[in-house]
Amino acid sequence: MQQKPEILETRLVARSRLFGIEEVDLRFSNGAERTYERLRTPPIPAVMCVPLLDEDTVVLIREYGVGLEEYQLTLPKGALDAGEDWRDAANRELQEEAGYGCKTLTWLKRMTLSPGYMQHQITVALAEDLYESRLPGDEPEPLEVVTWSLQDLDTLVAREDVNEARVIAALYMARDVIAKRKAA
């Protein structure tokens, strides 16, 4: 296994309300030195759930993404509140964004987003045994709820309004988990 680079120095070079930009001076095990930039965000854990009404029907939400300036079909997700367990956060986000609670949550994977320059990580969970339940959320407008068949996942992923890599990966992971259960 390779030896991790030594961090020689870090400097905050810019800051906004949500992000900081940090320069990181590194020395690699072969002696090479480089300066990298990374977004410095607070280490707020996040969760995303793949809610299933049944073995074939996933619940999605349509939400505005200011980064792309477009509405996107996505999965319920959000930050954990202070001291909140990922399971509680997943169920809360599901109720706030899609109007469902769940009785069963299965951890799928922890994923990163652009680890070359961000520290963000998100826990992905499969949410099953859904029941109608709504909690007030922090969204500025009501979110549209859309259901889709996992058997037609390739058509969903081909849509212009489905392009977040974490969402696509989570949907394929959920489909595979369900397929393995059916085969067992």
Side-chain angles (χ1 to χ4, degrees):
M1 184 169 178
Q2 290 183 309
Q3 179 181 345
K4 287 174 37 175
E6 175 186 1
I7 297 175
L8 303 174
E9 185 179 0
T10 59
R11 292 173 300 287
L12 186 65
V13 295
R15 172 180 235 116
S16 77
R17 183 176 57 87
L18 296 176
F19 304 103
I21 299 176
E22 199 172 56
E23 285 185 340
V24 182
D25 296 332
L26 299 174
R27 179 180 300 127
F28 290 83
S29 60
N30 65 358
E33 293 185 9
R34 297 286 188 279
T35 299
Y36 287 84
E37 287 185 351
R38 67 182 179 192
L39 288 176
R40 184 71 173 176
T41 56
I44 300 170
V47 66
M48 174 170 53
C49 49
V50 183
L52 296 178
L53 285 173
D54 55 45
E55 288 184 332
D56 183 54
T57 309
V58 65
V59 175
L60 303 153
I61 56 172
R62 185 177 314 282
E63 185 173 41
Y64 185 73
V66 70
L68 294 177
E69 300 177 14
E70 296 175 353
Y71 282 91
Q72 297 288 302
L73 273 179
T74 188
L75 293 168
K77 59 185 165 301
L80 276 66
D81 291 337
E84 189 176 35
D85 178 78
W86 70 266
R87 291 167 195 82
D88 295 330
N91 200 31
R92 176 182 50 76
E93 289 292 339
L94 180 58
Q95 291 175 74
E96 289 175 1
E97 296 185 357
Y100 290 98
C102 68
K103 295 177 184 170
T104 307
L105 278 165
T106 305
W107 184 89
L108 293 178
K109 187 169 186 68
R110 181 169 294 123
M111 290 195 279
T112 62
L113 180 66
S114 300
Y117 64 92
M118 290 179 70
Q119 297 173 323
H120 181 76
Q121 295 185 27
I122 195 165
T123 297
V124 181
L126 189 62
E128 299 174 280
D129 301 319
L130 302 185
Y131 56 91
E132 289 187 24
S133 178
R134 179 157 301 280
L135 290 174
D138 58 1
E139 287 72 30
E141 63 183 355
L143 301 177
E144 179 186 355
V145 176
V146 176
T147 58
W148 199 275
S149 169
L150 286 177
Q151 291 183 32
D152 198 20
L153 185 54
D154 293 339
T155 302
L156 175 65
V157 170
R159 291 174 53 116
E160 288 289 320
D161 61 349
V162 178
N163 55 29
E164 184 179 354
R166 301 176 306 174
V167 169
I168 294 168
L171 289 167
Y172 279 108
M173 284 188 291
R175 184 188 69 179
D176 290 351
V177 165
I178 297 301
K180 286 178 186 173
R181 283 184 191 167
K182 286 180 178 179

